[in-house]
Amino acid sequence: MGKAKVKRASTTIDMTAMCDVSFLLLTFFVLTATARQPEVMPVDTPASTTLDKLPDDNLSVITVGNKGKVFFGVKNPEVRKLTLKNMSAKYGIGFSEEDYEKFKGLDEFGVPIKNLRALLSLENDKRTEDIQPGIPVDSTEANSNELYQWVQQARLATVEFNRDQESKVKNWTDPGPMKVAIKADAEEKYSIMNLIIETLRNQKQNKFSFVTGLRQEN
């Protein structure tokens, strides 16, 4: 006796729900993503085969280029604001609330603190490297070594921010002390690099990273 043939029905999949989810996700990422700001002072970093990545937060970066110009930046905008408040108190230079908000959006800068208000008053596209002479740095721990003070106050601001988050955010995990990275042009002279390293060591910041480009192993 022959087997009865079962009529095959065409299979259709309703993709409406999938399309809705896809567009919702796309819209979410478009609205929440922030455009990467162009570097004020691009540098040609030396190459290495190290694959370690720097954290996206809890980090400050010292950039060195163009024959010894020193720029400084803090990744966390809230820590930036706290750092500027600390520097304002230390140097006796007042900043308005508008200045603090503008500084929160400043990825990096390279001017003496006495010129910072003038820099903040400019539009973003006017804050070019040409008008920024670099942050003063020397071999002392005095106020004349402004890089020393910026790093120190950023470290203190990081501790303050982390403690505040711990008291406000449930299950907050303290990421620990602020990490420091040096991003220097491959052609920079030893003298300026030695000043920066000594500036960090003078405040017991003995662990820091160097930003490099990726070199292919032979």
Side-chain angles (χ1 to χ4, degrees):
M1 183 176 178
K3 292 183 179 180
K5 292 184 178 180
V6 179
K7 185 178 180 181
R8 293 184 178 180
S10 61
T11 303
T12 58
I13 300 176
D14 187 358
M15 297 295 292
T16 305
M18 181 67 73
C19 292
D20 288 344
V21 171
S22 299
F23 278 107
L24 283 173
L25 289 173
L26 180 60
T27 303
F28 170 79
F29 287 121
V30 168
L31 293 176
T32 58
T34 55
R36 182 179 179 182
Q37 298 294 325
E39 294 180 337
V40 179
M41 184 173 66
V43 296
D44 184 15
T45 57
S48 75
T49 55
T50 303
L51 297 177
D52 295 339
K53 292 184 178 181
L54 292 172
D56 294 327
D57 199 2
N58 202 45
L59 175 72
S60 67
V61 180
I62 301 170
T63 304
V64 191
N66 197 3
K67 299 180 180 179
K69 277 189 179 183
V70 178
F71 281 57
F72 182 69
V74 178
K75 292 295 184 183
N76 188 315
E78 296 300 329
V79 175
R80 288 179 205 161
K81 183 176 180 179
L82 290 173
T83 302
L84 183 57
K85 287 185 174 182
N86 291 349
M87 290 292 287
S88 173
K90 188 167 190 65
Y91 283 86
I93 299 176
F95 293 91
S96 66
E97 191 59 35
E98 183 182 3
D99 291 334
Y100 288 123
E101 290 304 313
K102 288 182 178 179
F103 190 73
K104 282 175 63 176
L106 210 61
D107 286 340
E108 59 179 351
F109 63 95
V111 295
I113 190 169
K114 65 180 181 180
N115 299 336
L116 186 55
R117 282 187 299 188
L119 181 70
L120 293 173
S121 68
L122 300 175
E123 298 295 329
N124 290 340
D125 59 345
K126 302 293 184 181
R127 299 171 188 159
T128 61
E129 180 205 339
D130 297 337
I131 66 169
Q132 301 190 55
I135 296 173
V137 55
D138 55 43
S139 59
T140 71
E141 299 178 29
N143 284 359
S144 59
N145 188 352
E146 292 187 16
L147 179 63
Y148 178 98
Q149 306 302 335
W150 277 111
V151 174
Q152 185 180 66
Q153 298 308 322
R155 294 174 67 189
L156 294 173
T158 298
V159 173
E160 181 182 350
F161 174 79
N162 289 340
R163 286 176 178 172
D164 183 63
Q165 292 297 105
E166 189 174 16
S167 64
K168 292 180 178 179
V169 181
K170 187 178 181 181
N171 298 325
W172 166 260
T173 302
D174 191 333
M178 181 190 75
K179 297 176 177 61
V180 179
I182 301 174
K183 183 179 180 181
D185 192 276
E187 301 299 324
E188 282 302 321
K189 293 183 178 180
Y190 169 78
S191 56
I192 182 65
M193 298 306 301
N194 185 57
L195 276 178
I196 291 171
I197 292 173
E198 287 303 312
T199 291
L200 297 177
R201 287 178 175 172
N202 285 343
Q203 52 184 281
K204 304 282 190 286
Q205 182 74 47
N206 295 315
K207 187 176 181 180
F208 47 85
S209 304
F210 280 99
V211 179
T212 58
L214 184 61
R215 178 178 60 203
Q216 298 293 335
E217 295 186 21
N218 295 327

